[in-house]
Amino acid sequence: MSENQTLSQRWENYRPSKTLWFWSAVGVAVATMIIGFTAGGWTTGGSAAIMAERAAQDARAELVATVCVQKFAADADAAAKFAALKEASSWERDDFIEEGGWALLTGMEKIVPGAAKACADQLLAMDSLPVREVQTSPAATDS
């Protein structure tokens, strides 16, 4: 190459070796993976499985907690138990819900992890319990 060539002429005349092409491709692949996993939001299959399992557990706990709140409100002595729940210390509330049986659904052998806490949190977020509506069966109104 002569020194009188312009930058664009030297660029046109440049012929990279196969080794340079190979290492450039490796460098681009590694940089893409680093950017993808750090800033791009990529996850591995194992991480995705863990996140999916955690989301499923949280969803089950929220579902059971919603039913738990309804069962708690339907209890015959709900107002007194609601006051007792509010009086209980934060570490006793889960046990209070579990011992009352509101977090255990029919057919379940054990309580869903996190359901009692979610139920207590939902109940404590309320200012008062929802009013129980007494429903009559359609057969009773037909006669």
Side-chain angles (χ1 to χ4, degrees):
M1 280 192 218
S2 79
E3 294 186 28
N4 294 339
Q5 289 182 331
T6 64
L7 181 62
S8 65
Q9 288 172 334
R10 286 192 312 207
W11 180 257
E12 287 177 18
N13 293 333
Y14 180 69
R15 301 290 177 243
S17 67
K18 290 178 184 176
T19 305
L20 182 61
W21 276 112
F22 172 78
W23 287 112
S24 296
V26 169
V28 167
V30 169
T32 300
M33 286 187 271
I34 290 171
I35 292 169
F37 282 108
T38 57
W42 297 359
T43 59
T44 62
S47 295
I50 290 169
M51 288 188 294
E53 180 61 31
R54 195 171 300 143
Q57 287 175 354
D58 292 346
R60 281 190 294 269
E62 284 300 315
L63 175 64
V64 172
T66 302
V67 174
C68 171
V69 168
Q70 296 302 317
K71 287 173 65 175
F72 187 95
D75 194 285
D77 196 21
K81 290 179 180 168
F82 186 62
L85 177 66
K86 286 193 176 248
E87 293 290 321
S89 60
S90 59
W91 62 87
E92 295 173 327
R93 292 176 182 150
D94 299 359
D95 294 335
F96 183 83
I97 295 295
E98 288 178 13
E99 289 168 5
W102 300 293
L104 188 62
L105 301 181
T106 305
M108 293 176 58
E109 295 178 12
K110 57 184 179 176
I111 295 173
V112 173
K117 180 183 181 341
C119 180
D121 291 345
Q122 287 181 22
L123 286 165
L124 292 171
M126 297 178 183
D127 292 329
S128 63
L129 289 174
V131 178
R132 266 179 52 186
E133 294 181 20
V134 178
Q135 294 181 358
T136 57
S137 66
T141 58
D142 289 344
S143 48

